[in-house]
Amino acid sequence: MTTDVTAPTRTRRAGFVGGGFMAAVHSRAARAARAELMGAASSSPERAAAAAERLGLRASFDSFEALLADPAVEVVHICTPNATHAGFARAALEAGKHVICEKPLATTAADAAELVALADERGLVAAVPFVYRFHPMAREARARVAAGETGRLLSVHGAYLQDWLAAPHDDDWRVDRAVGGPSRAFADIGSHLVDLVEFVAGERIVRLNAASRTVYADRATHSGIETEDLVALVVELDSGALGTLLVSQVAPGRKNALTIELAGTDASVRFEQERPDTLWLGRTEASSVIERDASRLSADAARLAIVPAGHPMGYQDAFNAFVADAYAAIDGAAPDGLPGFADGLRAAQITEAVLASAERRDWVEVPA
């Protein structure tokens, strides 16, 4: 038996800024949440028109300002390069629009904090897609930790490994500090890793010691690259638990290998994003693999399990659930675990701590 994710109570009218891969993901999720896809703005009217055609949107806007000026647009999805996020999000909030902004929310913690305050002041829903929280078995791991099944937390181990920049000729706008921000690998995928660790553990990282490497300073079209290809860090959590985390975009053969493992005094639990329909539960006497079966999961995990057991679910399903919860929040609901701008601020704070630690080669405290 399956249950539905939180459903919006009425149709929302969405606009999109950007027209690339993430705009496609956002638009599919908005369509699944029964939104009216009003249109897109991009870097030029021509690119906006092409995006609207490709994504199946109702219209295109000649500019971002034109999109904000349309009273029919209620929620704005920001799917543009990192350095533009804060400015677009601020303008959308000031225009009275709800916002779903790709991470990183901002390239500095100061800008992210301003956006948190502005969203609170305006009473608007403002969300950041830390969507791996929305895999049913990630929620099941969280529920079992919260219920005390793993006992007192002792250690965490996690990694997020990709290979799309593994060769020196591999290139992308994200390597450019001016466009992608001062951090690349960590801000891009490490933020997902630490968000999932803290979300499942129910604890926060209080200090860390990081080392980073830029493997290729020169790529196909960029030279003098300063942003990191990989980061390794040791972390300490609220309870005193210790952990090791590895983030890399230069790990050949690893496509999207996000994994976390939490070990407690009574049991360990492990979630792998590339195998999202199972959860490993380890005990000294025996270990087991828990299958995604809504009839046997915690209530919060079961509500996200929208297809029968044995039928695979994946990334787009998690993203759809996130957008559905964000739209439900606009309707006045309070879905559990919806990542808001405060979580975007948290990610920016940890990213700055990682950069500072790597530069100082020493432990750095993380803001509470």
Side-chain angles (χ1 to χ4, degrees):
M1 179 179 180
T2 60
T3 56
D4 290 332
V5 297
T6 304
T9 58
R10 74 176 184 85
T11 300
R12 290 293 165 184
R13 297 186 297 274
F16 302 83
V17 189
F21 168 74
M22 288 315 306
V25 173
H26 279 249
S27 65
R28 286 194 292 266
R31 185 176 286 109
R34 302 194 300 273
E36 292 184 36
L37 309 188
M38 304 303 293
S42 192
S43 55
S44 70
E46 294 75 21
R47 291 176 68 90
E53 173 68 21
R54 186 173 61 255
L55 302 178
L57 311 185
R58 178 175 295 183
S60 63
F61 294 93
D62 286 347
S63 66
F64 175 60
E65 292 74 19
L67 184 152
L68 293 186
D70 187 342
V73 175
E74 300 172 286
V75 55
V76 176
H77 292 249
I78 298 171
C79 314
T80 55
N82 301 352
T84 66
H85 290 175
F88 284 147
R90 184 179 298 108
L93 292 170
E94 289 174 343
K97 313 291 187 182
H98 303 285
V99 177
I100 296 177
C101 181
E102 263 304 318
K103 50 85 201 142
L105 174 59
T107 57
T108 70
D111 283 345
E114 289 181 9
L115 292 171
V116 172
L118 181 58
D120 289 345
E121 174 190 320
R122 299 298 175 96
L124 295 166
V125 171
V128 178
F130 289 116
V131 297
Y132 298 112
R133 295 183 177 196
F134 288 82
H135 281 297
M137 301 313 287
R139 293 291 175 114
E140 182 67 12
R142 177 181 182 236
R144 288 174 180 260
V145 171
E149 189 169 340
T150 53
R152 178 169 60 88
L153 186 63
L154 300 177
S155 66
V156 299
H157 170 68
Y160 201 155
L161 310 177
Q162 297 179 335
D163 70 356
W164 67 288
L165 288 171
H169 57 76
D170 294 329
D171 212 337
D172 188 80
W173 60 261
R174 289 173 178 81
V175 307
D176 185 346
R177 180 188 180 101
V179 182
S183 171
R184 187 204 336 136
F186 194 84
D188 184 20
I189 60 177
S191 56
H192 279 297
L193 175 59
V194 295
D195 179 79
L196 195 60
V197 165
E198 292 190 337
F199 183 69
V200 171
E203 295 190 24
R204 287 197 158 192
I205 295 169
V206 295
R207 65 180 190 137
L208 57 84
N209 197 332
S212 67
R213 294 289 184 274
T214 302
V215 178
Y216 300 116
D218 300 299
R219 292 183 176 271
T221 61
H222 292 85
S223 59
I225 296 169
E226 299 176 340
T227 56
E228 77 282 355
D229 289 305
L230 62 93
V231 181
L233 57 158
V234 179
V235 299
E236 181 179 343
L237 282 76
D238 290 321
S239 63
L242 296 178
T244 58
L245 305 176
L246 179 64
V247 176
S248 175
Q249 294 176 325
V250 289
R254 296 299 185 183
K255 303 306 178 184
N256 203 60
L258 168 60
T259 62
I260 62 167
E261 184 171 322
L262 286 71
T265 52
D266 299 323
S268 298
V269 64
R270 180 181 179 87
F271 172 75
E272 300 183 20
Q273 194 278 152
E274 291 184 330
R275 298 173 177 82
D277 282 334
T278 61
L279 189 68
W280 180 81
L281 188 66
R283 298 186 186 277
T284 53
E285 67 276 11
S287 298
S288 58
V289 175
I290 302 163
E291 303 282 348
R292 179 184 52 75
D293 183 343
S295 66
R296 293 173 172 83
L297 300 180
S298 63
D300 194 35
R303 82 177 180 93
L304 298 173
I306 60 172
V307 298
H311 296 72
M313 292 180 61
Y315 170 75
Q316 188 68 57
D317 295 300
F319 214 106
N320 291 0
F322 157 72
V323 169
D325 272 8
Y327 286 5
I330 294 172
D331 291 340
D336 183 42
L338 177 65
F341 273 18
D343 298 292
L345 169 59
R346 175 68 180 165
Q349 291 171 330
I350 294 180
T351 298
E352 288 190 350
V354 166
L355 293 177
S357 177
E359 182 179 359
R360 299 175 196 171
R361 300 185 179 182
D362 200 0
W363 287 90
V364 169
E365 304 292 322
V366 180

